Amino acid sequence: MIDLMLLLFLVVCAIAAVSMKDLLSTTIILGVYSLIMTVVWTRLNAVDVAFTEASVGAGITTVLIIAALSRTKREEEGQEYGMWSKLLNPQDLKLTDKQSPLLWLTSLFIVLITGAVLIYGTIDMPDFGDPDAPANIHLAKRFIEESYEETGVPNFVTAILASYRGYDTLGETTVIFTAGISLILLLRRKSYICDTTIKEKEMKEHIVIRTISRILIPFVQLYALYVIAHGELSPGGGFQGGVIFGSSIILYVIAFGLEEGRKVRIFREMGDLLNSTGVLIYAGIGVLCLLAGGAYLEYDKLPLGSEKMASSLGIYGIEIGVGITVAAVMITIFFITARHER
Amino acid sequence: MTLTESLPILVIIIPLISAIIIPLIGRIDKSIAFAFVISANFLSFIISISLLNTVMETGRISYWLGGWEPPWGIEYVVDYLSGFVLVIVSFIAFIISVYAKKSVEMEVEGEKILPFYSIYMLLVTGFMGMIITGDIFNLYVFIEISALAGYALIAIGKKRAALIASYNYLVLGTIGATFILLGIGYLYMATGTLNMADLRERLPMLYDSKVVLTAFAFITVGLSLKLALFPFHIWLPNVYNHAPSVVSALMAATSAKVIAYVLVRIMFSVFTMKFDLEVVPVTKILLFLSVIAIIAGSVLAIAQTNIKRMLAYSSIGQIGYIVLGIAISNQLSMTGSLIHLLNHALMKGTLFLVVGAVVYKTGMEDISSLKGMGKKMPFTMAAFTIGALSMIGVPLTVGFVSKWYLALGALKAGMWFLVFIILVSSLLNAVYFWRVIEGIYFHQKPKVRSQKSTTKDSIESLKPEIQNQDDAPVGMLIPTLILAGLCIVFGIAAFIPVSVVTPIVNMLLEV
Amino acid sequence: MIELILGKYNYWVYITLMMIGFYAMIEKENLIKKIIGMNIFQTAVFLFYISIAKVKGGTAPILWEKEGIPYDNPIPHVLILTAIVVSVSTTAVALALIIRIFKEYGTIEEDKILIMSEVSGKQDSTENSKFLSSTSLLQKGE
């Protein structure tokens, strides 16, 4: 019952997010939507995914959109005419081409057709939760039965993520790297005057925030390292840990400000360097496996004691690589987007 | 594992690692970074050739990533088809990277050159990964790598419209990619596997399952969106028009080919001929769409005044040709289609590189700006002429070979009207390319819409500039001429690509 | 019929969410709104994947001692972890583009941008599209 309620909430949030005019509220509602999604996924036992969605969907995406809003506009304009007036009395309205009811109907038609095809597809689907569904018996069965033996990782998700499908994860890290470089390409300027987020004077009064941050940040960072290191046993891993570590640095910057351009430059250089380093560690471990005579990313073949030991260390290595890249890209993105210009 | 056994992964890892390293070593010296790009592309081209060679000798290569046996792990597959497309893409990427230096220096700001090259390599990595993978989810990951890289490269174009072009491409591309992701999910739900070879074995008994039908529909629509097949072509002209010349060239020459390859993979390797012909009317729909694309692309190209835009619309028509052959799906038409992957890459590559050189020299990209260029840039314009003649389909050029096989295929399938369509489209191509060629050779000087300033001074000041020979720099000229030369070589010695393509067609059609 | 609905309600909800997001992506004119739609659209697909993975009475796919309790299917979880990251990367690039677009055009409404680019497009053709001169414009924008 509670699941149905949550799903209903999701739909309500989605509709609200799409139909509201104030983009900041929309963004917050999108964050709520993500959080509810996190709860739904936790109830579906997808703990790793929920962890990621909480840090990424509810966290980073919201921050990014707000940063973008602060540098663009908060209100959605145009579309003075609601859908019903478009449909009922189009001749009375002064519409641009894009607003014409015909076009609007076409979009609606496309969406409905897509929905209809999807619903058609559900007819032959196995029931929700069916343990004998093909998806749950072919590959999954073997992973559940043998992955611990073969990789030494008790968390099946991490085992598949880092070992069986480790190459997908390299691709995923490459995607983050691509996004980081793309943002540098699109937004970075040669020289800039930095007055990140909050002015120094105002912050002097926020002694509470500063004190709390000072106490909190080391713990947040420690927790980030824990999440990275503990990914084998429990939910979490390089990605989630990297996000948390990145946020700790962002927290530092928000609380203490960045008085001088020099510090910014240090952060920036460091971000650039680590951005590449993380992926390089990942791809490099793969190359080491090649050199050790195995296949790409075949950690067993690394000359690090027993096969299980090597596999375990290899997985640690790539998780650290992922964590470094994610944290570096987050910091880079933050510095690039959150800067006010004049 | 020996080096030769590791080649299938090296062909991806070399461009990937170079993309990662370029921002690092570029700090030391930018010219090292450029040399790095060229050598990485060259290496992966050489490896592609040797892979294709190995496949010809020993058959399909399967590489197990992480040492996990498929379907448990991810598999890389090099067969005739992927080997062939790998060679095309890595070759074009190599040629364009040689060409890029001057053009990029002019069209991209100084401090952005390093990230630009890094993303260029990521785009290449994405394409190569899509071609070689034998795992359907890994395919999605690489589609997204190439897509993200593409958005950034397009947006860096100098005109502000490049940003809009990139944004629209991003939205449509994401819809396409998400549809593909959804389709993959449906396939996984029905079969429990992600490996393409495994899917091929498991799917036939599920062909009447509505889940599988929906999966197929979504993957096909998603790919058509990315392929810019009519009516999903709207994003393409703006992208090719506003991106930097090097990016336009790379994307025009390879992007659609790679997606078309993926479509062939899904239709004939994951699903089977039987499914395409008997279970769903997909070939009929594709036939219909491709015919419209061929005609509409050619007609719209005639109306353009911007040369890049004209080439973009012509690409829409050419994508139509590729899909047409797939849709007829007999041996001859498939041969035409697959050869056209190579041939179109060569001709469009040539044409876009020429345009890049003209932009480099004059800063203009209007068709009228080419007037009188025959004297100023004789070699570049010769390359353009070869490319244009190829596009029209004049005998002894590659364009003729593809059209010949497509027409034969249509005849064999008893579809006479398709021959008529191909002829009409060739005529239309002749119309818009002849207009340009005529301008290049038979007009003396560019009339810079000088109705107002027809004073003698302005004309005389223009004259010497036009008459002096001032061709593109050697670094740009040689790659252009190589591509143009290949348009002729493979037009005359058509048996070389045909001999490569024939076993592919036999494999796909299970003859 | 009722069984059909009850047995698959997760799938029905995901379809609804997907349609809402899809509608916003193709119909909204505000560029940020499109991105918000894109996020809903993509998470809907993720919900579908996660729904596949659920096994009745199953527990989270982490090895533990208790025998006899089935585990949920870990594979879709892995795939979606990757897909979420891809999605946030796309969002970041899209937002970067939006920031640039706002800087160049002063608006993030698609219809207004279209009108502006039509006007400037005409200028372009009369100027013989000598876009090198627009570099100065670009530098001003930066």
Side-chain angles (χ1 to χ4, degrees), chain B residues 18-198:
Chain B
S18 70
I20 302 166
I21 289 185
I22 286 166
L24 295 177
I25 59 165
R27 286 154 183 268
I28 309 163
D29 191 348
K30 274 185 191 165
S31 54
I32 300 181
F34 180 68
F36 216 76
V37 172
I38 293 184
S39 38
N41 276 313
F42 182 67
L43 269 179
S44 67
F45 170 54
I46 295 294
I47 295 175
S48 305
I49 295 247
S50 100
L51 280 173
L52 183 61
N53 202 26
T54 321
V55 170
M56 296 267 205
E57 281 163 14
T58 60
R60 180 180 190 270
I61 305 171
S62 161
Y63 185 86
W64 303 352
L65 283 148
W68 298 112
E69 184 186 353
W72 323 114
I74 294 169
E75 182 190 17
Y76 264 12
V77 175
V78 190
D79 53 14
Y80 285 110
L81 179 56
S82 53
F84 175 61
V85 184
L86 269 183
V87 170
I88 299 177
V89 171
S90 58
F91 174 67
I92 299 283
F94 167 61
I95 287 286
I96 293 181
S97 68
V98 173
Y99 170 97
K101 190 163 194 278
K102 288 257 168 66
S103 178
V104 170
E105 273 167 10
M106 192 195 86
E107 293 186 34
V108 178
E109 292 154 64
E111 87 258 33
K112 290 190 172 172
I113 287 181
L114 282 182
F116 177 89
Y117 279 127
S118 177
I119 298 190
Y120 179 94
M121 291 315 289
L122 286 168
L123 184 67
V124 176
T125 312
F127 285 154
M128 307 281 274
M130 281 157 75
I131 297 165
I132 202 173
T133 190
D135 185 282
I136 200 164
F137 189 81
N138 195 244
L139 173 73
Y140 166 77
V141 174
F142 277 88
I143 286 179
E144 285 288 21
I145 293 178
S146 66
L148 272 183
Y151 307 145
L153 287 179
I154 293 157
I156 203 174
K158 287 229 162 178
K159 285 175 280 183
R160 62 178 183 176
L163 295 168
I164 303 291
S166 171
Y167 181 87
N168 286 332
Y169 179 37
L170 185 146
V171 170
L172 285 172
T174 308
I175 294 177
T178 311
F179 275 11
I180 295 170
L181 179 67
L182 191 68
I184 293 169
Y186 273 55
L187 282 184
Y188 175 73
M189 185 185 213
T191 61
T193 187
L194 295 162
N195 183 282
M196 289 184 190
D198 199 20

Side-chain angles (χ1 to χ4, degrees), chain A residues 53-64:
Chain A
E53 176 67 15
S55 55
V56 171
I60 302 183
T61 309
T62 314
V63 171
L64 279 179

Side-chain angles (χ1 to χ4, degrees), chain B residues 322-479:
Chain B
I322 297 174
V323 177
L324 179 72
I326 300 172
I328 302 173
S329 58
N330 62 25
Q331 232 164 330
L332 287 163
S333 73
M334 284 292 276
T335 309
S337 235
L338 292 172
I339 287 194
H340 205 53
L341 292 182
L342 168 69
N343 292 351
H344 184 239
L346 293 176
M347 344 192 251
K348 259 300 147 47
T350 312
L351 292 172
F352 267 104
L353 290 190
V354 169
V355 173
V358 172
V359 171
Y360 177 74
K361 274 289 164 197
T362 66
M364 294 191 276
E365 48 186 47
D366 257 27
I367 290 177
S368 57
S369 70
L370 285 169
K371 280 188 182 157
M373 281 293 184
K375 287 203 179 107
K376 190 181 170 197
M377 302 171 78
F379 293 108
T380 315
M381 289 306 134
F384 186 88
T385 313
I386 293 173
L389 292 178
S390 265
M391 295 291 291
I392 298 169
V394 176
L396 297 186
T397 61
V398 284
F400 175 74
V401 181
S402 329
K403 285 183 184 172
W404 175 253
Y405 275 98
L406 284 174
L408 284 183
L411 283 181
K412 199 176 177 201
M415 300 188 221
W416 285 87
F417 70 101
L418 289 179
V419 181
F420 177 70
I421 296 279
I422 292 173
L423 279 177
V424 168
S425 129
S426 299
L427 269 176
L428 291 171
N429 277 0
V431 170
Y432 62 80
F433 275 114
W434 180 251
R435 191 177 45 147
V436 184
I437 295 176
E438 191 193 12
I440 293 173
Y441 290 108
F442 303 111
H443 286 256
Q444 283 309 305
K445 51 185 152 300
K447 294 217 163 170
V448 193
R449 30 139 215 111
S450 48
Q451 276 84 356
K452 285 179 227 159
S453 55
T454 39
T455 54
K456 263 190 173 177
D457 293 346
S458 66
I459 293 174
E460 266 161 26
S461 68
L462 281 169
K463 256 185 186 168
E465 190 200 345
I466 302 304
Q467 280 167 350
N468 283 350
Q469 190 178 323
D470 179 22
D471 217 320
V474 185
M476 294 169 92
L477 197 56
I478 289 176

Side-chain angles (χ1 to χ4, degrees), chain A residues 209 212-213 216-217 220 246-256:
Chain A
I209 294 180
I212 293 178
S213 307
L216 214 55
I217 286 171
V220 174
S247 357
S248 79
I249 297 205
I250 291 174
L251 180 66
Y252 169 85
V253 175
I254 290 176
F256 294 89

